[in-house]
Amino acid sequence: MQTIEKFDFAGKKAFVRVDFNVPLDENFNISDDNRIRAALPTLKKIIADGGSVIIGSHLGRPKGVTDKFSLNHIVKHVSDLLGVEVQFANDCIGAEAVEKAAALQPGQALLLENLRFYAEEEGKPRGVAEDATDEEKKEAKKQVKESQKTFTKKLAALADCYVNDAFGTAHRAHASTALIAAYFDINNKMFGYLMEKEVKAVEKVMDDIKRPFTAIMGGSKVSSKIEIIENLLGKVDNLIITGGMTFTFTKALGGSIGNSICEDDKIELAKELMATAKEKGVNLVIAVDAKIADKFSNDAETMLCDDDKIPAGWQGLDIGPKTIEIYDEVIKNSKTILWNGPTGVFEFSNFEHGSHAVGDAIVEATKNGAFSLVGGGDSVACVNKFGLASGVSYVSTGGGALLEAIEGKVLPGIEAIRGY
Ligand code: AMP
């Protein structure tokens, strides 16, 4: 497999798929530019080698061409961060893009307009009437798949080589994230530095496990994490089930959970997962006490209470001190740690304590040599809120992509580069 480090980009034009899907405020100022910064090492390496970059990204979920989602708004900021004046092409495959890409000199950069202005990027038909017949819907799908080939070919024709640095979209088999790779031979396609780091981090928790391996699965719903939990049960030594989803398990065990969040239709599943854990010898760690509230609010009345004895009208919004102590012991003795999902409603300062404590324990374990991966939406927000990001081994930039990788799925964006 080709690598970005080995590849000499001198005189080459590289199509680099990045994830510049950054949040913009009402004046189109970027409110968080981390995603752009994350791609800089890759872009800078290509330029330093004497190559030129053609940058492709999506922004938002446009249903067609709209100024709101134009990447034009970010060109200046990308130029400032890259230290190179970035040109812009108003249409990612049009004549302007072709001319500007062809004229690129070594060290120059071109940003293409939002790839998702074309339905072909995602390969999903647009504008199909809701009352269209199944036949019509099928035909629309067929047509977009056909034109997707032409779209992908045109994108590929802009460059000599392809670099995928967009882990956040690696779970999508889109034109620019996966299909385009077919137009480059194995020596001319590679991961960017960010993508490489993400893939290595996932492999460390999925394949190269130092034991004990502890996964901490939190958040609100079991239903959104079933496949991950099932896959993890075949790999981990300890599985900490925490956050709102705990209560489905506590109820399954016969406990009283008051008004705590619970998925009644997943109680049987919770029982099955507990049985599987037992069968596989996994230490399933479920909270024993909770910080309960009389309403879903930061200024609610609170009490500490055993998890299975929550009074009617009260709900568990965070774990309690006994649980923190148990988690602490397990986490600090671990050598591989995966954290996805908070222990409570960490957005409320009165219910952030458990998530903070878990973050602290992970940092401590990491200092003692554990590999820790934090990823998937809210746990990233947690470590950032508590200023702990630099104390863990890796904070993933991928939400859905990371979760699918942990579920054990092969990601199209990765598969396309590796060529298997
Ligand atoms: P998820 O998107 O499933 O990872 O869930 C994250 C969300 O779960 C966060 O917004 C938390 O506020 C919420 N959450 C965590 N614990 C609880 C709880 N005990 N009750 C209600 N919501 C919770």
Side-chain angles (χ1 to χ4, degrees), residues 185-220:
D185 68 53
I186 195 85
N187 294 314
N188 287 300
K189 56 185 165 190
M190 66 214 86
F191 297 141
Y193 286 120
L194 172 67
M195 185 85 162
E196 251 178 17
K197 276 199 287 181
E198 296 275 2
V199 171
K200 273 193 194 134
V202 170
E203 280 173 354
K204 274 199 140 175
V205 297
M206 289 292 110
D207 306 320
D208 176 24
I209 304 164
K210 306 274 180 296
R211 296 193 179 274
F213 176 13
T214 298
I216 305 146
M217 299 301 299
S220 54

Side-chain angles (χ1 to χ4, degrees), residues 64-93:
V65 180
T66 154
D67 182 58
K68 185 174 170 207
F69 293 120
S70 173
L71 283 168
N72 202 5
H73 302 303
I74 72 163
V75 185
K76 181 166 179 321
H77 197 71
V78 177
S79 300
D80 291 346
L81 290 179
L82 194 56
V84 165
E85 198 194 325
V86 177
Q87 303 171 45
F88 185 70
N90 273 309
D91 177 319
C92 63
I93 53 162

